[in-house]
């Protein structure tokens, strides 16, 4: 699946409509440079899941989790490894339990930094490419 968005709102709306593609236990990798729109897409996805908390990037905490409402996926786990130095830091905060939890959807910004933890895991990948100031190409495989 591939779409072009022409504003942050369009990327957000794309995220919002994606919810039905996922099941509990899924892991979604978000690939894209700084400012590509990864967090924007997750904010939309969260709204699609009925989460009313504000989504903020777990830049320093590495992981945030949110409870969904009326959805078969019970938790949305947002991981951002941008500042991660060692995968062990993620193990220490219990990430492995979430990665194998059948009721959680894990969404990971900068998955390149946790290769070891993702080894042998089935994942979905969304790539966001910066085409122009307000234009992005979003590809999902
Ligand atoms: N079509 C678009 N889709 C998404 N964001 C866009 C678009 N056009 C412009 N933007 C802007 O790009 C920025 C995307 O920021 P966002 O935090 O979502 O990126 P990110 O990929 O999570 O970055 P980081 O790697 O720093 O976490 C926002 O400032 C947003 O307004
Ligand atoms: Mg981000």
């Amino acid at each position: 699946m591939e779409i072009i968005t022409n504003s942050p709102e369009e990327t957000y709306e794309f995220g919002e409509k994606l919810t039905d593609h996922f099941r509990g236990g899924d892991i979604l990798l978000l690939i894209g440079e700084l400012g590509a729109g990864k967090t924007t897409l997750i904010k939309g996805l969260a709204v699609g899941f009925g989460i009313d908390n504000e989504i903020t990037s777990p830049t320093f905490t590495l992981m945030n989790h949110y409870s969904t409402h009326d959805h078969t996926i019970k938790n949305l786990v947002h991981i951002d490894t941008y500042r991660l130095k060692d995968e062990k830091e993620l193990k220490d905060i219990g990430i492995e339990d979430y990665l194998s939890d059948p009721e959680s959807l894990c969404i990971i910004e900068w998955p390149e930094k946790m290769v070891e933890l993702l080894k042998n895991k089935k994942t979905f990948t969304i790539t966001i490419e910066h085409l122009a100031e307000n234009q992005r190409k979003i590809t999902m495989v």
Side-chain angles (χ1 to χ4, degrees), residues 55-73:
I55 302 290
T56 52
S57 268
T59 311
F60 294 98
T61 53
L62 299 172
M63 169 175 81
N64 283 336
H65 37 88
Y66 305 90
S67 299
T68 62
H69 297 287
D70 304 321
H71 202 279
T72 52
I73 296 175

Side-chain angles (χ1 to χ4, degrees), residues 81-133:
T81 73
Y82 187 64
R83 286 176 191 275
L84 184 72
K85 293 194 183 68
D86 190 314
E87 288 191 44
K88 189 179 170 297
E89 289 175 57
L90 288 174
K91 288 188 184 173
D92 291 346
I93 58 171
I95 232 121
E96 285 159 301
D97 293 339
Y98 287 107
L99 289 174
S100 53
D101 175 11
E103 294 195 328
S104 294
L105 167 65
C106 290
I107 307 182
I108 308 171
E109 295 189 50
W110 303 102
E112 302 91 329
K113 290 206 170 185
M114 49 182 286
V115 174
E116 200 60 41
L117 281 161
L118 292 172
K119 208 189 245 170
N120 303 322
K121 298 270 188 206
K122 183 179 148 308
T123 56
F124 293 89
T125 301
I126 289 181
T127 305
I128 309 181
E129 245 178 285
H130 191 297
L131 298 182
E133 190 180 353

Side-chain angles (χ1 to χ4, degrees), residues 8 32 34 38 66 69 76-77 138:
L34 282 172
K38 303 180 291 296
Y66 305 90
H69 297 287
L76 183 73
V77 182
I138 306 177

Side-chain angles (χ1 to χ4, degrees), residues 5-17 40-41 44 134:
T5 64
N6 292 295
S7 67
E9 293 73 25
E10 281 181 33
T11 297
Y12 181 99
E13 279 162 25
F14 175 74
E16 199 174 342
K17 283 184 267 178
T40 303
L41 191 145
N134 293 311

